[in-house]
Amino acid sequence: MIESPLLEKLTGYIGGRWTDSAQGNTFDVYNPATGEVIAKVPSMPAEDIEAAIAAGKSALKLTNPYSIETRRKWLEDIRDGLKDNREEIGRILCMEHGKPWKEAQGEVDYAAGFFDYCAKHIQALDAHTIPEKPKDCTWTVHYRPIGVAGLITPWNFPIGMIAKKLSAALAAGCPSVIKPASETPLTMIALFSLMDKLDLPDGMVNLVMGKASVIGKVLCESPDVPMLSFTGSTEVGRKLIVDTADQVKKLALELGGNAPYIVFEDADLDAAADNLIANKFRGGGQTCVCANRIFVHEKVADAFGEKLAERVNKMTVGDGMNEGVDIGPLVNKQGFDKVKRHLDDALQKGASLVAGKQPGELGDGLFFPPTVVLGVNRDMCCYQEETFGPLVPMALFRTEEEVIEAGNDTEFGLASYVFTADAERAQRVAAGLRFGHVGWNTGTGPTPEAPFGGMKASGIGREGGLEGLFEFVEPQTVPRGF
Ligand code: NAP
């Protein structure tokens, strides 16, 4: 069992108190590197979710709102708490998710960055008077907190994803009811241990855990929850749209991706390979922004494949707590089997193995070696679906038009990447790609300072940047006649 000063309580948190009315109903949390159960956490009943919403409602202040200074202080305190505890939170994160400890600490820094950004820019949420005086009135625009927000997060960035939502919710003055993924509730409990020591109003942040169907139903059906912010699969996102339609709830949805990574013949191939390694293997390839289809110009495909294989063959796979490990285990058996199925399918349909192992050679456990295949096409699962694992599928292309069309040949529109030395071509390709994020000569993903989100079936809304800061407020216009 995991032990940590940040995990002294393993329960939900409602109205400023650790709460457990689950009556012994628990679920197991595993270390994917060892298969061991490292904690048991409560599977909370629907009444607890309702209590959390009620606590949130009591913390919402409309007529006498929390001042900008107060809200900034909350954000700064959480930022500082994360920074001071980066190693310990990173350790907990590594043990329940599997990603290397150092990388996990980097995720804690990333999370702190969102609280920092919102603290620095919170003034933008102050009311302002517009310079014109239409209709003989003075017009003031206020940014009102939307109300109690349900925040639902995935397991792939256990601290990063909640930071994006919670920083903007607190900046707006919105209380929240937070549900972490069942694979990774411990990092969230650690965050709540930090917040428990801060001067946050009771009910401002509430933690619920357990069956997604139970929690989702209460959050979707409660008229006291006017907004849901969800990061996860497009499949669940679609369900939330349907389940909240009656109430016309505001939804912020960060959903799945199927990122094209385009390497033109004039690209710096070493830079493209280095960036692909960093982009693709972060979190073991289990990120929404990682390259899922690599399109390489046919003239440079062999050279690029060799560069990739050279780098991939030096990577170390193992328990993320061990020094020098580049890639940890996949989060669960379901995820492992999916990557294996994608590899098997690609090889059966004619792709060739450039680096890695045949599916039959893969051993026990959840460790999947970094694998590169060449000759991928749109009939293969790895082209159509989000693989979510360390498989690099390369397809060939000849022309710019053809590769823009191929890149867009997916219902998703989250992240994409283009490597070329030609600035005009990069501009044309970026404009043609229907993706919320287009890296040009970089494989970097989102940052707290810039808006990030999906087009098409990858979502609704943005997190990060000023756009993200405004997600949890509703503009209210007050024209004053005299
Ligand atoms: P998931 O299965 O959709 O689950 C995400 C969260 O939703 C979990 O907390 C899950 O709870 C909960 N959930 C499941 N069914 C629900 C329901 N009916 N009502 C309410 N909540 C429900 O996704 P995942 O496997 O954790 O995450 C991987 C996916 O997230 C990938 O598709 C990835 O691309 C996407 N993602 C997108 C972004 C982005 O910024 N766009 C970022 C990261 C990840 P349980 O864990 O208890 O089932």
Side-chain angles (χ1 to χ4, degrees):
M1 289 285 174
I2 189 168
E3 292 202 356
S4 165
L6 296 178
L7 297 177
E8 279 170 6
K9 305 276 185 193
L10 286 178
T11 69
Y13 187 89
I14 297 175
R17 264 177 285 287
W18 297 99
T19 312
D20 185 4
S21 58
Q23 296 175 334
N25 286 325
T26 59
F27 63 94
D28 294 338
V29 184
Y30 294 88
N31 179 342
T34 61
E36 283 165 4
V37 174
I38 53 172
K40 287 179 183 293
V41 298
S43 188
M44 298 165 74
E47 299 78 63
D48 274 3
I49 321 310
E50 282 154 11
I53 295 169
K57 205 176 161 192
S58 69
L60 179 67
K61 281 201 193 178
L62 292 177
T63 49
N64 180 24
Y66 302 106
S67 68
I68 291 263
E69 291 69 34
T70 301
R71 290 181 270 150
R72 184 187 289 120
K73 177 87 169 59
W74 297 340
L75 296 163
E76 288 171 347
D77 286 350
I78 299 175
R79 172 200 65 197
D80 295 346
L82 288 171
K83 282 187 172 173
D84 292 346
N85 291 276
R86 67 189 293 279
E87 284 197 10
E88 184 57 8
I89 298 177
R91 188 178 74 88
I92 295 167
L93 202 165
C94 167
M95 287 187 71
E96 65 177 352
H97 174 286
K99 68 177 71 176
W101 188 15
K102 266 205 185 117
E103 192 181 317
Q105 290 174 50
E107 187 185 328
V108 183
D109 297 337
Y110 177 63
F114 283 91
F115 291 98
D116 185 56
Y117 178 84
C118 286
K120 289 196 171 120
H121 293 271
I122 193 168
Q123 210 68 45
L125 296 179
D126 217 353
H128 65 89
T129 302
I130 60 174
E132 299 86 359
K133 287 206 170 220
K135 304 193 176 187
D136 284 336
C137 290
T138 304
W139 294 69
T140 304
V141 181
H142 298 269
Y143 295 102
R144 307 297 191 195
I146 188 164
V148 179
L151 311 182
I152 305 174
T153 55
W155 48 263
N156 65 344
F157 289 98
I159 194 76
M161 295 301 136
I162 187 57
K164 292 179 171 203
K165 300 177 189 311
L166 183 58
S167 56
L170 287 174
C174 288
S176 48
V177 175
I178 299 171
K179 185 219 169 297
S182 295
E183 276 86 355
T184 56
L186 302 179
T187 305
M188 194 71 86
I189 293 176
L191 171 66
F192 270 79
S193 294
L194 297 180
M195 295 197 296
D196 181 49
K197 297 190 175 61
L198 303 180
D199 196 15
L200 285 165
D202 289 350
M204 202 63 201
V205 290
N206 302 279
L207 170 63
V208 298
M209 296 173 291
K211 282 210 173 78
S213 53
V214 173
I215 299 172
K217 186 170 187 309
V218 179
L219 290 175
C220 286
E221 290 179 1
S222 171
D224 293 327
V225 179
M227 173 168 180
L228 281 186
S229 174
F230 166 83
T231 300
S233 59
T234 296
E235 185 191 348
V236 174
R238 284 195 171 106
K239 181 169 165 39
L240 295 178
I241 292 172
V242 173
D243 292 354
T244 56
D246 276 354
Q247 291 189 8
V248 197
K249 259 184 223 294
K250 178 168 178 184
L251 290 175
L253 301 176
E254 296 288 332
L255 308 177
N258 183 358
Y261 192 100
I262 302 169
V263 182
F264 279 96
E265 68 277 22
D266 62 350
D268 176 334
L269 295 188
D270 283 304
D274 287 339
N275 275 274
L276 181 55
I277 297 288
N279 166 287
K280 178 69 202 182
F281 297 115
R282 195 159 60 111
Q286 302 168 109
T287 75
C288 54
V289 292
C290 72
N292 202 56
R293 295 166 297 150
I294 291 76
F295 295 103
V296 191
H297 193 276
E298 60 176 9
K299 282 191 189 148
V300 293
D302 288 342
F304 187 66
E306 277 169 30
K307 286 181 190 295
L308 267 187
E310 200 181 294
R311 286 161 173 78
V312 157
N313 289 333
K314 287 186 194 145
M315 298 187 87
T316 310
V317 184
D319 185 333
M321 284 308 295
N322 295 338
E323 195 62 34
V325 164
D326 301 302
I327 301 179
L330 293 174
V331 77
N332 54 30
K333 173 108 174 46
Q334 200 187 346
F336 183 92
D337 289 346
K338 184 176 188 191
V339 188
K340 194 170 166 184
R341 173 169 66 79
H342 281 197
L343 174 60
D344 203 11
D345 172 77
L347 295 177
Q348 266 178 17
K349 290 178 180 162
S352 58
L353 195 65
V354 176
K357 289 184 176 169
Q358 298 280 345
E361 299 166 353
L362 293 167
D364 292 338
L366 300 176
F367 297 102
F368 203 106
T371 303
V372 183
V373 291
L374 182 60
V376 161
N377 62 48
R378 74 181 309 283
D379 297 331
M380 298 176 183
C381 297
C382 62
Y383 187 108
Q384 296 293 341
E385 301 168 27
E386 194 179 24
T387 299
F388 243 51
L391 172 65
V392 180
M394 291 201 288
L396 304 184
F397 74 92
R398 287 194 192 86
T399 68
E400 187 180 310
E401 296 71 28
E402 173 197 341
V403 80
I404 293 174
E405 199 181 321
N408 286 331
D409 180 20
T410 168
E411 67 168 335
F412 298 109
L414 194 59
S416 60
Y417 308 89
V418 53
F419 280 74
T420 175
D422 181 338
E424 285 182 13
R425 170 153 66 191
Q427 296 302 335
R428 283 194 304 272
V429 174
L433 287 171
R434 302 299 296 151
F435 290 80
H437 176 101
V438 189
W440 173 26
N441 290 344
T442 176
T444 193
T447 181
E449 297 79 9
F452 178 81
M455 295 184 184
K456 294 161 53 179
S458 286
I460 301 171
R462 293 292 181 268
E463 292 181 333
L466 285 178
E467 290 81 352
L469 184 63
F470 279 81
E471 280 287 63
F472 290 81
V473 293
E474 291 188 300
Q476 182 189 56
T477 331
V478 181
R480 180 180 169 182
F482 53 87

